[in-house]
Amino acid sequence: MIIGIDLGTTNSLVAVWDGEAAHLVPNALGRLLTPSVVGLDDHDQLVVGDIARERLQTHPHLTAALFKRHMGSAQSTRLGSRSFRPEELSAMVLRSLKEDVERAYGQPVTEAVISVPAYFSDAQRKATRIAGELAGLKVEKLINEPTAAALAYGLHQKGEATFLVFDLGGGTFDVSVLELFEGVMEVRASAGDNFLGGEDFDDVLVAHFLAAMGGQGLPDHQQPAINQRLRREAQRVRHALGQQPEATFQLREDGREWTLPVSQDKLLSICEPLLERLRAPIERALRDARIKVADLDEVLLVGGTTRMPLVRKLVASLFGRFPAMHLNPDEVIAQGAAIQAALKARDATLEEVVLTDVCPYSLGVEISKQVGTQQQSGHYMPIIERNCVVPVSRVQSVYTLHDNQKQVSVRIYQGESRLVANNIFLGELEVAVPPRPAGEVSLDIRFTYDINGLLEAQVDTPLTGESHRLVIENNPGVLSPAEIAERFAALEALKVHPRDQQVNSALMARLERLYQECLGDLREHIGQLAAHFAAILEGQDERQIRETRGELTARLDAIEQGY
């Protein structure tokens, strides 16, 4: 069985194609959105999703979030006595989604199509594939999120169209221009920001609250528990401002309370720098695609953060029209990934659609340039420029720099800066050349980049007929095959929290969080509810547990809504 997964910064989803449509699969708690949060419980068992998110505030040292932002790097996160890489944390989320589908459909899941931001680098894409392997999945394809969204909107069923996908999620921002013609969906250009999303709007709200409350004896916001409480409150306020003109930012601690009203106008004011950051990738993608705003047939909104009125107003003003919003922005990527999975499985009910993609970053080599009377090294020569349709192959010629030079070092980089120092080093080839006067020996450097993000560098020396080849498979920070096997074994040994207990554990974690947040009689009341539920769990009466859980959930919903 093959599934489609939206592996998100804040939340993740999984969907399957049932022969007629893409269906989202709920998790063990009956929810479609699984928070991309991983932790260890008090018994050193792995918890993923809602349980982990509830414990993010009460047990920050045992819980991790936002790790997608570090995919492709060597950064590690410590949970208790263990350290985990971003791929491993992502693998735990993927494994949880895989098990949700297996539980719902009663058959093993072995393959997946996983979405990635279009602006993900080569290293980030490889890290995502590794996460899938660690989760026990064969990753059939990585699909760019905007392309998945276009499939979900059914644009592949239209005749000809040019459209732009505006994808603003919890942690990343993508904008892609796509063109559809004769059954081919071609990505014309992609741009974005891997460190811009809803979490950044929450950061701005927290900073605004701290600045306004300065000098009023606020608790140390550097404490992990206080920081998580502030971020959770910022998220609540941001969501509330999507429905009403004003919301109140609140923090309670040690018998004291700090409140700050925030209006939609104030949010717009403090978020203006973030909105400006959204403009630049849009302009860049349109410029690279050589398309004017007036030439666009449709603008699609994707990602939960596009629910914010100020974001929708920005999009409407930039494009002079209302964007398409008839599908749930949280769900379209997972649905599109499931459609792509069905296409990979050659489902007879789906018409074949050819998807073409682009190289998100320029790829090139280091060269020396004549500056005045001197040769200056460290300059960048792109060979494959960003937004070339892949697969693509390009060749450039370079020449020896010194008399009687015997060797040339071909250093390969990824990026857009004119100096290699500001780009990402990918690999190096040492090529022997015959000693000749400077400039007499040429080298033909050919880069070939395929749809899976694999880069092949080939260096030919016409004078000797020799050829050298390097395939860029590993990047700094990406696990080697041996390390993958080792990490897979370690994750397999890690005990996973029993799925049939997840709904109860999530409720207990919620009670614990609310107990810490509340004061006085309400705090005492929540403590009594927690003790009561713990006693019911000890009795192991499934009917009584189910009934009590329903009553408590309704009561906690009322408490959190202020009733």
Side-chain angles (χ1 to χ4, degrees):
M1 186 176 189
I2 183 170
I3 57 178
I5 294 176
D6 173 9
L7 180 61
T9 306
T10 308
N11 293 294
S12 296
L13 304 90
V14 61
V16 298
W17 179 264
D18 68 354
E20 296 181 2
H23 286 285
L24 294 161
V25 180
N27 59 27
L29 304 182
R31 297 166 186 164
L32 298 178
L33 294 177
T34 295
S36 301
V37 186
V38 173
L40 298 174
D41 67 8
D42 297 333
H43 305 291
D44 212 29
Q45 288 186 326
L46 178 68
V47 290
V48 176
D50 291 274
I51 308 173
R53 186 176 63 180
E54 293 288 358
R55 289 171 60 86
L56 195 57
Q57 180 177 308
T58 58
H59 299 77
H61 63 292
L62 292 176
T63 320
L66 306 181
F67 37 82
K68 179 180 174 179
R69 284 187 161 181
H70 304 293
M71 289 288 274
S73 75
Q75 179 168 327
S76 63
T77 301
R78 194 156 196 83
L79 302 181
S81 60
R82 296 186 181 91
S83 287
F84 296 93
R85 291 172 56 104
E87 300 98 314
E88 294 176 291
L89 296 170
S90 294
M92 296 173 195
V93 175
L94 292 172
R95 187 165 72 178
S96 177
L97 297 172
K98 171 180 178 285
E99 290 171 355
D100 288 333
V101 177
E102 291 174 337
R103 173 180 48 82
Y105 286 84
Q107 55 181 297
V109 172
T110 56
E111 300 169 289
V113 170
I114 302 176
S115 68
V116 291
Y119 212 54
F120 250 22
S121 69
D122 187 45
Q124 290 168 310
R125 290 168 189 269
K126 286 187 173 68
T128 305
R129 282 189 174 275
I130 290 169
E133 289 181 42
L134 293 174
L137 290 166
K138 179 186 178 186
V139 182
E140 279 292 334
K141 181 180 176 64
L142 296 179
I143 183 170
N144 282 350
E145 290 172 1
T147 307
L151 288 174
Y153 270 97
L155 295 186
H156 57 293
Q157 297 168 349
K158 294 186 177 182
E160 292 188 5
T162 302
F163 49 97
L164 181 143
V165 180
F166 182 100
D167 180 3
L168 183 61
T172 58
F173 172 53
D174 272 333
V175 55
S176 291
V177 178
L178 297 95
E179 189 171 17
L180 180 70
F181 57 95
E182 298 178 356
V184 176
M185 188 182 292
E186 178 180 299
V187 180
R188 292 285 300 275
S190 290
D193 191 329
N194 285 334
F195 291 89
L196 178 59
E199 300 290 342
D200 299 282
F201 286 86
D202 294 340
D203 287 342
V204 166
L205 268 170
V206 170
H208 173 63
F209 176 77
L210 294 174
M213 296 293 107
Q216 297 192 31
L218 275 174
D220 181 9
H221 67 277
Q222 299 295 341
Q223 294 179 34
I226 298 295
N227 181 47
Q228 288 300 332
R229 199 175 305 175
L230 287 168
R231 292 185 62 80
R232 191 183 184 100
E233 180 64 7
Q235 189 178 64
R236 185 194 66 78
V237 169
R238 178 164 61 86
H239 290 171
L241 288 172
Q243 308 293 326
Q244 55 204 50
E246 188 174 285
T248 301
F249 198 120
Q250 299 175 326
L251 176 66
R252 299 185 184 95
E253 178 73 9
D254 294 333
R256 296 187 62 187
E257 183 178 54
W258 297 265
T259 61
L260 179 70
V262 182
S263 65
Q264 283 191 9
D265 288 341
K266 174 53 72 174
L267 182 65
L268 175 60
S269 172
I270 64 177
C271 290
E272 188 58 40
L274 294 179
L275 297 178
E276 281 300 315
R277 285 175 62 187
L278 292 173
R279 294 174 190 267
I282 294 171
E283 294 168 355
R284 179 169 164 177
L286 289 171
R287 188 169 58 248
D288 285 358
R290 297 180 178 85
I291 286 176
K292 298 177 181 177
V293 170
D295 297 331
L296 294 171
D297 296 304
E298 193 119 50
V299 177
L300 312 182
L301 288 190
V302 179
T305 308
T306 60
R307 296 179 189 277
M308 296 176 67
L310 57 86
V311 172
R312 295 190 171 188
K313 286 177 183 176
L314 173 70
V315 174
S317 66
L318 286 174
F319 297 103
R321 74 185 77 184
F322 290 109
M325 301 179 291
H326 54 277
L327 294 183
N328 187 323
D330 286 313
E331 300 173 359
V332 293
I333 293 173
Q335 292 170 334
I339 293 170
Q340 176 61 57
L343 288 169
K344 290 291 289 185
R346 300 193 181 280
D347 191 287
T349 60
L350 282 172
E351 286 186 26
E352 184 62 39
V353 56
V354 178
L355 299 174
T356 71
D357 229 321
V358 293
C359 180
Y361 295 92
S362 296
L363 298 161
V365 296
E366 179 181 2
I367 60 169
S368 293
K369 283 189 175 182
Q370 186 81 28
V371 180
T373 58
Q374 294 183 326
Q375 289 283 350
Q376 192 178 82
S377 62
H379 288 266
Y380 183 53
M381 183 182 74
I383 294 178
I384 294 177
E385 292 198 297
R386 70 170 187 269
N387 287 322
C388 283
V389 175
V390 294
V392 59
S393 187
R394 294 282 188 273
V395 64
Q396 290 271 19
S397 296
V398 296
Y399 298 86
T400 52
L401 188 61
H402 307 292
D403 290 337
N404 299 314
Q405 189 172 336
K406 295 181 179 180
Q407 195 170 51
V408 174
S409 178
V410 180
R411 294 173 61 82
I412 302 164
Y413 289 85
Q414 164 190 292
E416 310 303 329
S417 176
R418 67 183 184 87
L419 300 177
V420 296
N422 301 321
N423 293 329
I424 299 172
F425 175 71
L426 296 182
E428 185 174 11
L429 264 174
E430 295 290 343
V431 179
V433 294
R436 293 285 192 281
E440 279 196 9
V441 181
S442 67
L443 297 174
D444 294 336
I445 304 175
R446 177 175 291 279
F447 279 6
T448 303
Y449 189 82
D450 74 6
I451 201 160
N452 293 312
L454 200 68
L455 173 64
E456 179 190 71
Q458 182 175 319
V459 181
D460 295 326
T461 311
L463 195 62
T464 64
E466 291 184 359
S467 181
H468 297 77
R469 178 174 171 269
L470 174 67
V471 177
I472 307 292
E473 294 180 306
N474 287 316
N475 300 83
V478 175
L479 293 171
S480 68
E483 288 173 321
I484 292 172
E486 181 184 337
R487 301 274 179 166
F488 182 81
L491 289 183
E492 283 289 294
L494 192 62
K495 291 185 179 179
V496 179
H497 191 87
R499 302 194 68 74
D500 57 352
Q501 295 178 14
Q502 279 199 24
V503 65
N504 299 326
S505 297
L507 184 54
M508 285 300 296
R510 187 181 182 191
L511 285 161
E512 177 64 29
R513 173 179 60 80
L514 284 172
Y515 180 82
Q516 291 193 13
E517 288 182 359
C518 297
L519 297 171
D521 293 342
L522 183 56
R523 186 178 202 180
E524 179 65 24
H525 176 58
I526 292 171
Q528 291 171 355
L529 294 178
H532 174 62
F533 190 49
I536 294 294
L537 290 176
E538 286 293 323
Q540 300 183 33
D541 185 324
E542 284 299 323
R543 182 188 60 79
Q544 193 174 14
I545 290 172
R546 188 167 56 250
E547 290 176 357
T548 306
R549 187 171 62 228
E551 294 167 1
L552 283 178
T553 298
R555 176 69 186 127
L556 296 186
D557 287 345
I559 289 172
E560 291 202 281
Q561 291 165 13
Y563 299 124

